[in-house]
Amino acid sequence: MTSIYRSRPKRPVDEDDVRQPVSTGGMPTAVPSRGNAPDTTRDWSHARRTKPAGYMLPVSLKWFASLPLEVRPMALVTDYARIANLLALQWDKPAACRAYFDDLISDRRGNRRGFPPEVRRDLLTLRDYYYNRHMSLGQ
C-alpha cells in the first residue's frame, strides 16, 4: 500500500515558463489574528515565490517575429515583456486571447492607471489585427 504522505515529484523546469523563482529570504512571521479580517497593513509581496519574467521568452520571440512589421508591439515588448509573453501563449486560443485583450484594454475595477499611450496604441493595433485575422478564418 502506498502512503498518501509521499513527496510529490517536482515539476520540470521549462525554458519557456512564464515565471521564474525569486528568493524570499525565508517565510514571513505570523501576524496576530484579527478574527477573519485579512491584514491589510503589511506588504506581503516579498513572500511571493515567483514573479513574472521581465524579458521575452523564446516562444514570445517566435510569436513576435511572426507578426507583420506594422503590428509588432514594440513599446509593449520593451516596457511590458510579461504581458507580451502571456499574449504569445494565448495567441492560438481565440477565446482566451480575446478575454485577455478585453481585460488589458478595459478597466473593470475602476482604479487602474492604464498604459502609457504608445503601449495602449500597440495593444489596440494588435487586438484589431488579431480580431480581423480570426474573423477571416471563421474562428
Side-chain angles (χ1 to χ4, degrees):
M1 183 171 205
T2 307
S3 170
I4 63 170
Y5 297 105
R6 72 178 192 275
S7 64
R8 294 182 178 189
K10 293 194 186 269
R11 189 176 132 240
V13 177
D14 182 11
E15 69 179 359
D16 292 337
D17 201 348
V18 177
R19 299 185 175 269
Q20 62 189 27
V22 175
S23 173
T24 62
M27 293 303 292
T29 57
V31 176
S33 175
R34 296 184 195 147
N36 290 333
D39 180 15
T40 58
T41 60
R42 290 192 66 182
D43 177 16
W44 290 94
S45 62
H46 68 280
R48 291 185 185 134
R49 293 186 181 181
T50 60
K51 72 175 187 173
Y55 53 89
M56 293 287 283
L57 300 171
V59 69
S60 304
L61 292 171
K62 289 177 194 171
W63 163 79
F64 184 79
S66 74
L67 296 170
L69 288 174
E70 64 273 7
V71 298
R72 287 185 183 170
M74 297 303 293
L76 178 70
V77 300
T78 302
D79 297 339
Y80 296 94
R82 70 186 191 288
I83 291 174
N85 289 332
L86 290 170
L87 273 171
L89 292 172
Q90 306 281 344
W91 196 254
D92 292 326
K93 303 170 190 159
C97 195
R98 286 183 182 128
Y100 192 50
F101 272 122
D102 290 345
D103 188 46
L104 288 171
I105 293 169
S106 61
D107 181 6
R108 297 175 194 205
R109 294 183 280 182
N111 60 353
R112 286 185 167 173
R113 285 185 303 159
F115 292 105
E118 61 278 1
V119 173
R120 182 169 172 75
R121 194 173 318 112
D122 277 356
L123 285 169
L124 292 171
T125 301
L126 196 58
R127 181 197 62 181
D128 292 346
Y129 169 76
Y130 185 83
Y131 282 21
N132 288 333
R133 179 175 171 253
H134 281 71
M135 292 293 255
S136 67
L137 297 174
Q139 295 179 348

